[in-house]
Amino acid sequence: MALRLDLAEWQVWSGPGSFFRFTVVFRRLEAELPIRQGGAAAPPTAGMEEPHPHLLPPSRCRTGTTAAARRDSVRKKAEPRAPETWSKFQSSKLISPSDQKIQRQGGLSRRFSKVVSYYGLTTPPYKLDALEPYMSKRTVELHWGKHHQDYVDGLNKQLATSPLYGYTLEDLIKEAYNNGNPLPEYNNAAQVWNHHFFWESMQPEGGGLPEGGVLQQIEKDFGSFTNFREEFIRSALQLLGSGWVWLVLKRNERKLSVVHTRNAISPLAFGDIPIISLDLWEHAYYLEYKDDRLAYITNFMDHLISWDTVTLRMMRAESFVNLGEPTIPEA
Ligand SMILES: [Fe+2]
C-alpha cells in the first residue's frame, strides 16, 4: 500500500486587513486506486486524479491545467519562503480595499476602530404630513430631517473626541450645562433632546382641552385652563430671538409653571421636569407663518398639542414629585 502526499496551499481571506496562510495536506491512499500488475499504481484517470473541481481551493480551480503542472505549481508554492518574502504580507497592497479606503480618509482600520456614534435621530410618532395644515410636511421634513439631524451629527462628531462619553442624553445635558458655563457639547446635546421632546409634544388632531388629572392640576396651578393658555402664549411672545417655551413641573414648588429659555437651554439643566415644549426658532414656523409667531403659537395650542403625551409625562413626573398632600401614617 502506497501513501502519497499532495500539498496544496491556500491563501485565506479571514477578514478585512488580515491574510493568513496555511498549508493543507491531502493524504490519499493509493490502495484505493486501481492497481496494475506488479504493484505499480495505475495511471489515474482524470476523475480520480483530483477531487471534483468544486472541492478544490479557488486558486486551483482552473480549467485546462494538467495534473502534473498543478502538482509542480503546488510544490513550488510549498517551498519555504525567505523571511523577506513574508514581509510582503505587511505591504499596504495586501490591505483590503475597504481598509485602504478608511486609511485614505484618515480613519483607523476596522480592527482598531472605536464606536463613534452614540445617539440616533428619533422619528416623529406620526407621518411627516400628519400635522397639516398647521405644520406642513415641508416644514417637518426640513426641521426634523435637516436641523434635528444636524444636531445629532454634530453631537456624535463632538463625542468622538470628548471625555463626556457614556452618559444618558439627559445626564449629558446636565453635565455639559456645567452650572451655567456650558461646555461645547451642550448646544447639540440639548437640541437633540429638545427636538425629540418637541415632536412628541404634538399629535394630529391635538389641541383643545386636557382631561382628568391634567386639567385639574392646570386649574389648580393657573386658576383656569384659559389662564394657562394665555400665560403660555404671552411667555412665548416675550422671548426675543430663538428659543423654547415650556410647561414644566417644578420639583421644589411642586407645581406646574410656564417658562421660556433662550437658544438651546433646556429646563432639564435647572432640575425642572419638562411637560410640553414649543420650538420658537424661525426654522420651526417660517415657511408657513413668516413673522406671525402668534398664529404659530395659537395653532400649536389649539390644534397640535398632544394631551395624551402630557398625561403620560405627568404620570411619570409624579414618580419624582408628590403633587398631593403628604399622608402621614398613623402610629
Ligand atoms: Fe428646531
Side-chain angles (χ1 to χ4, degrees):
M1 179 185 299
L3 180 66
R4 228 177 117 180
L5 298 181
D6 195 359
L7 303 179
E9 183 180 62
W10 291 359
Q11 290 182 4
V12 176
W13 176 251
S14 65
S18 61
F19 271 109
F20 74 86
R21 302 166 66 90
F22 65 89
T23 301
V24 175
V25 179
F26 291 104
R27 296 177 184 273
R28 185 168 52 202
L29 292 176
E30 293 198 346
E32 296 173 3
L33 302 176
I35 304 296
R36 273 184 175 178
Q37 277 188 341
T45 62
M48 302 178 75
E49 168 64 16
E50 294 287 345
H52 188 278
H54 290 171
L55 300 177
L56 289 171
S59 61
R60 302 185 68 201
C61 289
R62 295 187 296 271
T63 56
T65 305
T66 65
R70 284 198 290 274
R71 273 198 301 275
D72 289 344
S73 173
V74 167
R75 195 171 297 116
K76 195 173 180 181
K77 287 181 181 177
E79 291 174 355
R81 291 177 179 276
E84 61 270 20
T85 307
W86 287 99
S87 66
K88 291 180 180 177
F89 285 92
Q90 299 170 9
S91 165
S92 61
K93 293 179 181 177
L94 294 176
I95 296 175
S96 72
S98 60
D99 279 6
Q100 288 182 38
K101 183 179 178 183
I102 291 171
Q103 288 191 354
R104 282 198 302 275
Q105 293 170 347
L108 300 171
S109 74
R110 191 174 303 177
R111 278 185 296 172
F112 301 105
S113 63
K114 64 181 258 191
V115 176
V116 294
S117 295
Y118 306 106
Y119 300 105
L121 179 68
T122 52
T123 306
Y126 36 77
K127 292 184 177 178
L128 301 187
D129 61 355
L131 303 181
E132 290 185 341
Y134 309 105
M135 189 174 290
S136 70
K137 179 182 179 183
R138 182 65 179 148
T139 289
V140 178
E141 281 178 340
L142 283 172
H143 195 174
W144 170 70
K146 181 180 186 310
H147 294 280
H148 191 174
Q149 178 74 70
D150 285 348
Y151 292 126
V152 172
D153 293 344
L155 176 61
N156 287 332
K157 186 177 180 182
Q158 286 177 305
L159 291 180
T161 56
S162 167
L164 294 177
Y165 168 77
Y167 288 92
T168 64
L169 190 54
E170 288 85 351
D171 287 343
L172 175 60
I173 291 169
K174 294 172 186 173
E175 191 73 18
Y177 186 64
N178 195 29
N179 292 322
N181 299 290
L183 302 176
E185 296 86 349
Y186 177 81
N187 189 70
N188 283 325
Q191 287 292 69
V192 170
W193 191 93
N194 293 349
H195 281 87
H196 169 72
F197 195 83
F198 172 55
W199 300 125
E200 295 199 339
S201 293
M202 297 183 288
Q203 68 177 57
E205 300 179 0
L209 278 174
E211 297 178 347
V214 173
L215 181 58
Q216 290 175 13
Q217 191 67 38
I218 287 175
E219 290 175 341
K220 177 184 173 187
D221 295 335
F222 294 94
S224 68
F225 180 80
T226 301
N227 289 349
F228 157 70
R229 183 178 179 280
E230 289 177 355
E231 186 167 339
F232 193 90
I233 294 172
R234 184 168 54 250
S235 180
L237 292 174
Q238 285 173 346
L239 175 70
L240 301 177
S242 300
W244 300 78
V245 60
W246 309 80
L247 175 66
V248 299
L249 180 61
K250 291 194 166 289
R251 291 176 187 264
N252 294 333
E253 294 87 340
R254 296 192 296 134
K255 63 178 290 189
L256 293 169
S257 181
V258 172
V259 298
H260 62 243
T261 57
R262 295 187 185 282
N263 300 319
I265 302 295
S266 167
L268 281 177
F270 315 135
D272 293 339
I273 301 176
I275 304 296
I276 300 171
S277 71
L278 176 59
D279 191 335
L280 295 175
W281 289 59
E282 276 193 353
H283 63 230
Y285 60 89
Y286 195 78
L287 286 180
E288 280 93 61
Y289 299 96
K290 298 297 185 284
D291 294 326
D292 193 354
R293 187 182 270 189
L294 174 61
Y296 166 63
I297 299 165
T298 54
N299 277 335
F300 171 81
M301 294 295 295
D302 298 340
H303 301 286
L304 295 178
I305 190 170
S306 174
W307 292 115
D308 294 341
T309 301
V310 170
T311 301
L312 293 174
R313 288 171 177 170
M314 286 294 293
M315 291 171 64
R316 179 179 179 275
E318 283 193 274
S319 301
F320 303 97
V321 179
N322 181 12
L323 294 174
E325 293 300 321
T327 302
I328 302 174
E330 294 182 4

